[in-house]
Amino acid sequence: MSNLKWRLIIIGVLVLLSVYALFPRDVKTRQRRPDGTFFDTVIRKVPLRKGLDLSGGMHLALEVDESKGAVADKSEAINRALKVVRTRIEGMGVSETVIQKAGNDRIIIDIPGVDDRERAIRMVQDQAYLTFQITDKTNAFEKVLPRLDAIAKTKGLGTGAGVASTPAAPAAGLSGLLTSGADSSKAGAAGAKDSTKKDTARKDSASIPGVTGGVISKMILAGQSPGEFLFERNNKDVLKAFLDSPDVQAAMPPGKVVRFGSDSVVIQNKNYGYLYLLDAKEIMSGEQLTDAKPNSTQEGTVVEFQLNNEGGRRFQRETAKHIKDYMAIVLDNVVMGRPPVINSAIGTRGQITMGQGRDLQAAQDLSLVLKAGALPVPLKVAEVRNIGPSLGQDSIDKAWRAGTIAITLVVVIMLGYYRFSGMLAVAGLTLYVLYTAATLASFDAVLTLPGLAGFVLSIGIAVDANVLIFERIREELDRGKTVRTAIDEGFRHAMSAIIDSNVSTILTAAVLYQYGTGPVKGFAVTLIAGIVASMVTSIFVVKTFYLLWLNRSRGAQTLSI
C-alpha cells in the first residue's frame, strides 16, 4: 500500500508541475529606452507558442552599417555575421527561427511568437566587442578641461545644461567586477570582495579642482577613483555629441579615450551617470573568451566568463603590470559597472557586473552574445514587421483534422480491442499528452506542423508500448497465472523490448536535432519529448492504475484485456 501511495504522489506532483509549466503568466522584464536608460514592464508569457507556419511572427532584415566606415567585401562580412547571428538567436531557445542570407548584403530573420521585440532586435544588433582597459591615473582629463570649455564656448553651448550644485559623495563600498588572485582557478567572490575593500578608499565626489568654471566643467564632477567622473543623465545627449565632435577628439589627451558607463547613481534626488577616461591601448580583448554564463551573487547580477589558456596567460601577464590600478571592462564602448582595482594578477576566470537594476535575463542575453562572439561588422535593422502564417488556413485545418482522426482511431482501437485495460491505457495517454506539452513548454519550444506530426507519431509509439505489455499479460493469463502475477510478469518481460525500441528512436531523433534545421529540428524535439513521456506513462503510470484497481477490487480473479 505504501508503494502505491508513493506512486500516486509522484503522478500527482508531475501533473501539478505540468499544469504550472503550461499556465500563462505575467512576467516582469526590463527594457531599454532609446537614450540607454531602462524601464520595467510586464508581458504576458504564453507557453507553447505557434510557429511561423501556424501563426507567423516577426520579420527582421539586417544590413551592414557603414556609417562608421566603408566595408570592402560586404558579401564575406555578411557570411561571417550570419554565423554569429544564428548562434545568438538559437541560444534564446528552440524557436524554429529562419535565418538566411538574402542577396550579398542582407540577412533575413523570421522569428515566431516573439514576446519581446526589443530584446530580439538588441540580440542581433549588439556588436559584443569586449575589451579590458586601464583607467587614467595622470589627471589628463582635468588638465584638458579648460581647452574643452573654450571649445564649448566657441560652439555656443549654453550654461543651462550645467550642474547647478556639487552633490554629496555617493555611498562607499562598491562591488568589484573581476575575479582576482594569482590562482586563475579561483572564481569570483574573493576577487569581488578584494575590489570592494579598495573602493572604500576612493575619494569623495567633488568639483574638479583647477577648472575654469566653463560649461563642460559645470557638467562634469570628479568621481571616487582615478579617471572616473559623473554627470547628470539628462545632459548625456548634449555631452556625448560634444565629446564625439572632431575638434574635441583632436583636443583630447593623446593615447586616451572617453567612455560612458552603464551604471548610474542618485545624488540629492538627481540621477547621475558615469564617465571614464581610459588608456586607448587595451590590455586584453574578448577574442580568447570561451564561455560565459549568468549568475546571481551578493554583489548583484553578474556574468561569469572564462578565457582559454592562451588568453589566461596573457591576461595574467598584463594585469601583473597594473597592480593597484583600476581596470574597466568595456563592452561595445560602454564601461560595464564600475572599474575594480587590480589587487593581484588575474588568470582565466572573471565576472562582469550588470549594473544597477539589471535582471537575470539581461545577464543571460549578455552571456549569449559573448559566447557567440563579436559581429565582424556592425549591423543595422533595415526592416522590421509582422508576418502572417506561411501555411494557408486550409492546410492548417486539414492538418488538425488528420491529427484528430489519428488520435480518435487510436483511442477507439484500444478501447474496442483491450476493453478495460485499453481504458487504462487511454487514461495514461491523457497524462502523456499533458506531460509532453509541459516538457515542450519548459524548453520554450514552438509548435509547428512538423512538430505536431512528431507529437502524433509519439502517441502511436506510446500505444505500441502498451500493446507489448498487454500481449505479455495475456500470455501469462493463458498459462494460468493469477491476475496480479500476470500483470507483474507482463510489465517485466515487455520492458526490454520497450526500452530497445524507444532508445533507438531517440537516437535517430537526436541525429535529426543535431544536424537538422528549422522544421526538422522541431520534429526531433517533439518526438524526443513524446518518447520520454510515453515511457513514463506506459511503464509507470499504467501499472500504477493496475495496482490501484487491484487494491480496490481485493484480488480480482479476472481481467478485461
Side-chain angles (χ1 to χ4, degrees):
M1 181 62 187
S2 61
N3 182 40
L4 177 61
K5 182 178 72 172
W6 281 111
R7 281 175 170 268
L8 293 174
I9 290 175
I10 292 174
I11 293 174
V13 170
L14 290 176
V15 169
L16 292 176
L17 291 176
S18 299
V19 171
Y20 175 78
L22 292 170
F23 194 78
R25 59 184 64 90
D26 293 331
V27 178
K28 185 177 180 181
T29 184
R30 181 169 290 265
Q31 296 185 359
R32 183 167 57 184
R33 297 187 181 94
D35 63 356
T37 60
F38 292 85
F39 67 97
D40 292 326
T41 186
V42 176
I43 60 174
R44 187 73 168 174
K45 183 177 181 181
V46 180
L48 286 181
R49 298 163 294 161
K50 296 179 182 179
L52 290 167
D53 53 352
L54 298 178
S55 66
M58 184 177 72
H59 172 85
L60 278 174
L62 303 176
E63 293 180 347
V64 176
D65 185 1
E66 295 186 280
S67 61
K68 297 182 180 179
V71 177
D73 190 345
K74 289 186 181 180
S75 180
E76 176 61 23
I78 284 292
N79 286 334
R80 290 185 289 128
L82 185 64
K83 297 178 181 180
V84 177
V85 171
R86 178 175 286 115
T87 303
R88 292 183 184 180
I89 294 296
E90 290 180 350
M92 295 173 65
V94 182
S95 58
E96 305 297 333
T97 302
V98 176
I99 306 173
Q100 57 190 1
K101 181 180 178 182
N104 293 322
D105 60 351
R106 179 172 283 203
I107 296 175
I108 299 298
I109 307 173
D110 293 332
I111 309 175
V114 177
D115 293 326
D116 190 349
R117 294 165 59 92
E118 294 299 324
R119 181 193 178 201
I121 295 173
R122 187 170 64 250
M123 286 286 291
V124 298
Q125 271 194 302
D126 281 349
Q127 188 71 17
Y129 185 69
L130 181 69
T131 61
F132 302 88
Q133 295 169 260
I134 301 299
T135 63
D136 173 66
K137 54 185 177 182
T138 64
N139 296 324
F141 197 73
E142 290 89 330
K143 296 174 183 177
V144 80
L145 264 177
R147 194 184 314 170
L148 299 183
D149 284 331
I151 296 174
K153 186 175 181 180
T154 61
K155 287 179 175 291
L157 288 181
T159 58
V163 178
S165 59
T166 302
L174 300 166
S175 59
L177 306 176
L178 283 171
T179 303
S180 61
D183 187 358
S184 64
S185 64
K186 295 181 180 179
K193 291 179 181 177
D194 289 340
S195 299
T196 303
K197 291 178 182 178
K198 286 293 180 181
D199 283 334
T200 59
R202 299 180 181 186
K203 61 183 178 181
D204 292 343
S205 296
S207 297
I208 300 174
V211 299
T212 62
V215 176
I216 303 302
S217 298
K218 291 180 178 179
M219 293 175 65
I220 297 177
L221 305 171
Q224 291 182 299
S225 63
E228 181 183 80
F229 307 91
L230 291 93
F231 63 95
E232 280 195 43
R233 288 193 66 88
N234 56 12
N235 295 332
K236 182 176 180 179
D237 292 339
V238 174
L239 188 59
K240 188 176 189 307
F242 175 78
L243 293 175
D244 288 343
S245 60
D247 46 354
V248 172
Q249 290 290 320
M252 293 299 294
K256 306 291 180 181
V257 292
V258 176
R259 295 288 182 257
F260 287 88
S262 64
D263 268 4
S264 62
V265 62
V266 177
I267 306 172
Q268 295 181 354
N269 297 322
K270 293 183 179 180
N271 192 9
Y272 286 84
Y274 287 93
L275 186 72
Y276 297 93
L277 187 69
L278 310 176
D279 291 346
K281 181 182 178 181
E282 60 193 45
I283 66 170
M284 183 76 179
S285 70
E287 294 177 356
Q288 283 80 24
L289 188 142
T290 59
D291 191 23
K293 58 183 178 180
N295 195 12
S296 296
T297 66
Q298 293 181 348
E299 289 78 24
T301 303
V302 301
V303 173
E304 298 173 344
F305 64 85
Q306 184 171 354
L307 304 171
N308 58 24
N309 292 333
E310 178 185 354
R313 287 192 294 269
R314 179 183 172 185
F315 206 25
Q316 191 170 37
R317 182 173 63 252
E318 292 295 329
T319 52
K321 302 175 183 177
H322 294 280
I323 302 298
K324 305 306 178 183
D325 290 341
Y326 289 85
M327 180 172 63
I329 300 177
V330 185
L331 180 68
D332 293 342
N333 294 331
V334 176
V335 177
M336 303 300 294
R338 299 185 66 193
V341 65
I342 302 175
N343 289 318
S344 58
I346 303 169
T348 58
R349 296 179 182 270
Q351 66 183 34
I352 303 172
T353 58
M354 293 301 299
Q356 300 174 355
R358 305 296 297 277
D359 57 13
L360 193 59
Q361 179 175 294
Q364 291 171 341
D365 291 348
L366 176 58
S367 64
L368 281 176
V369 297
L370 288 178
K371 284 191 289 186
L375 287 170
V377 289
L379 297 177
K380 64 180 180 180
V381 176
E383 181 185 7
V384 55
R385 56 184 170 87
N386 293 326
I387 55 175
S390 58
L391 289 176
Q393 189 61 44
D394 184 60
S395 299
I396 296 174
D397 292 340
K398 287 181 179 179
W400 282 107
R401 192 179 306 121
T404 303
I405 292 173
I407 295 174
T408 302
L409 286 176
V410 168
V411 172
V412 170
I413 292 172
M414 292 300 292
L415 292 176
Y417 191 73
Y418 291 107
R419 292 169 288 185
F420 175 74
S421 296
M423 184 184 70
L424 297 183
V426 171
L429 281 178
T430 303
L431 292 181
Y432 156 81
V433 172
L434 180 65
Y435 294 160
T436 305
T439 302
L440 294 174
S442 300
F443 282 101
D444 198 25
V446 176
L447 283 182
T448 60
L449 201 60
L452 290 174
F455 186 62
V456 175
L457 178 61
S458 63
I459 290 178
I461 295 174
V463 172
D464 180 64
N466 288 128
V467 170
L468 289 174
I469 293 171
F470 293 165
E471 291 300 326
R472 292 296 307 198
I473 292 176
R474 278 181 171 179
E475 291 178 5
E476 300 299 330
L477 289 173
D478 291 340
R479 293 173 183 172
K481 295 185 179 180
T482 64
V483 173
R484 176 60 185 265
T485 303
I487 291 173
D488 289 339
E489 292 294 319
F491 276 90
R492 186 169 64 86
H493 289 301
M495 187 73 67
S496 59
I498 294 172
I499 292 177
D500 289 344
S501 61
N502 285 336
V503 168
S504 61
T505 307
I506 288 176
L507 290 176
T508 303
V511 173
L512 290 176
Y513 178 82
Q514 179 66 31
Y515 297 103
T517 58
V520 175
K521 184 172 288 190
F523 173 82
V525 169
T526 53
L527 184 58
I528 292 173
I531 291 173
V532 173
S534 72
M535 293 182 67
V536 173
T537 54
S538 61
I539 296 173
F540 183 80
V541 174
V542 174
K543 186 173 183 179
T544 302
F545 289 162
Y546 269 127
L547 295 177
L548 183 62
W549 171 73
L550 289 172
N551 184 67
R552 289 180 174 273
S553 60
R554 300 297 180 183
Q557 300 299 314
T558 60
L559 174 63
S560 176
I561 190 170

